[in-house]
Amino acid sequence: MGYFDFKEIKYEGRNSKNPFSFKDYNKDEVILGKKMEDYLRFAVSWWHTLTALGTDPFGGPSMERSWITDDPIETAKRKIDAGIEFMQKLGIKYFCFHDRDLVEEGKTLAETNERLDIVSDYLASKLKGTDIKCLWGTANLFGNKRFVHGASTSCNADVFAYSCAQVKKAIEITKKLGGENYVFWGGREGYETLLNTDTEKELNHFAYFLKMAKDYANKIGFKGQFLIEPKPKEPTKHQYDFDTQTVLSFLRKYNLEKDFKMNIEANHATLAGHTFNHELNMARINGVLGSIDANQGDMLLGWDTDQFPTNIYDATLAMYEVIKNGGLHSGGLNFDAKVRRASFEADDLALAYIAGMDTFAKGLRIASKLYEDKVLENFIKERYSSYDSGIGKSIDDKKTSFEELEKYALAHDNIVNTSGRQEMLEAILNQYIYNN
Ligand code: XUL
Ligand code: CO
């Protein structure tokens, strides 16, 4: 028995009028030497797609979720069947989960862990014989009220211990499911007011928690890449993992930089006052671009709306960074995105994924052409050409001094700059978007 009425989604090309078809995502088509599906490595988010019910602060559930029953284990298993059916019909090969998306918590931690064992065994058995894999697992250290003051940054040591126990189990399950990465999004790791907060102590605890997690992963032979997902605010006012550069300086202070990369989420980037491609660029140039949570925010709203990505401009610039990164390696494009509350029918889930997948496929097509034609590269190279010879080269090679530079500046103080040509470049980018 199936949970979704829609049929397998196929590539029908640009002119198709069938909403249940891909217009740009042609999985086997080779772009820059790789199949589209290998470049994009799309993933389903277990939470938004199969678990969340469409509640908001003003209203209750709205979503059709035909797999839900009164029995948590039964629901968890049916959800797995539904998830696999959904992924197979869309041709998506990866999924991401929080421990608590797999199965509802029991009355005690021991009971919760037992439930997780049963459900993860069931999931592992269902994955056998399919080509579906786990992109990443994570622990939900924010939903339950025990995390009101945070998890590893809680003022309550019992909560710190509980968080470690929960992550230990989540890593074990991610390993069992063959997870290629493990994510830490700092749920409630942040604070509301300095009137009651010892930030130094909290950050020390946070680092120790991450170190113990990595040590435990090494101990049990879990080889997945550890990722941190920056977000500047929400749920707390000051999230410690504000953005890529903030996280990098934290990791470097605590000597954790070799063990962690970034999972960059588009909507988190914009909440931080950055563009999505700024965050990807910062991660890339620092060698820590690990994976992507593909979604988009609403520029008129100040919170994480987690919409399906349909903005081709942003997807193009994002894929440009991914291409410059040589791909996402063990990472992928996880749709950390939810349909709007009014899009409550099961079909809406498929239509939303089609929109997101086509947007990124289109972004990849356009970005690959920009990259092949070296449009931006050539312009940028020329823009910095004053560093190719003479005094510029000495600066680049770090073979000069303040004294020499002063002598040079005294003799060359009639400075001539050239235009940055931003509008011309934006027009060229538009041409690539229209023509590809
Ligand atoms: C929250 C968020 C999370 C993480 C995983 O804003 O993005 O869903 O991706 O915990
Ligand atoms: Co996310």
Side-chain angles (χ1 to χ4, degrees), residues 114-283:
E114 265 168 48
R115 287 185 179 186
L116 272 174
D117 288 337
I118 298 168
V119 171
S120 58
D121 281 347
Y122 183 80
L123 177 50
S125 76
K126 286 283 168 175
L127 293 180
K128 277 204 193 108
T130 73
D131 51 9
I132 296 173
K133 294 183 217 124
C134 172
L135 185 67
W136 51 260
T138 188
N140 178 329
L141 301 177
F142 44 89
N144 190 289
K145 69 178 182 200
R146 73 177 67 85
F147 301 115
V148 277
H149 300 302
S152 72
T153 63
S154 172
C155 49
N156 183 344
D158 286 356
V159 178
F160 184 95
Y162 194 102
S163 307
C164 292
Q166 197 177 319
V167 168
K168 176 177 176 290
K169 188 73 183 171
I171 293 173
E172 290 163 7
I173 283 168
T174 304
K175 178 174 186 268
K176 183 196 289 184
L177 297 172
E180 298 187 23
N181 307 270
Y182 184 89
V183 165
F184 293 85
W185 165 59
R188 292 184 191 273
E189 313 292 34
Y191 72 93
E192 291 298 321
T193 171
L194 285 177
L195 297 178
N196 64 13
T197 306
D198 183 341
T199 49
E200 195 177 6
K201 201 175 190 62
E202 293 197 0
L203 285 162
N204 284 340
H205 290 163
F206 192 14
Y208 183 44
F209 157 79
L210 293 173
K211 184 190 175 311
M212 286 195 288
K214 186 62 198 169
D215 288 348
Y216 183 68
N218 289 341
K219 193 166 167 189
I220 64 168
F222 173 63
K223 303 256 181 326
Q225 173 67 50
F226 271 28
L227 301 170
I228 293 194
E229 184 179 319
K231 184 176 185 181
K233 53 188 165 195
E234 199 202 12
T236 73
K237 179 171 170 178
H238 300 275
Q239 294 281 119
Y240 288 129
D241 293 335
F242 191 94
D243 63 359
T244 299
Q245 288 181 291
T246 309
V247 173
L248 275 175
S249 81
F250 164 81
L251 292 172
R252 286 171 184 155
K253 173 174 175 185
Y254 292 98
N255 300 317
L256 293 166
E257 72 273 19
K258 288 198 181 55
D259 290 325
F260 291 84
K261 289 188 173 177
M262 304 294 145
N263 183 36
I264 302 295
E265 177 162 327
N267 204 164
H268 295 181
T270 51
L271 283 178
H274 298 310
T275 55
F276 184 21
N277 60 318
H278 165 88
E279 278 292 88
L280 294 168
N281 180 277
M282 284 299 126

Side-chain angles (χ1 to χ4, degrees), residues 48-63:
H48 286 314
T49 311
L50 299 159
T51 309
L53 299 172
T55 53
D56 72 9
F58 306 96
S62 69
M63 298 291 161

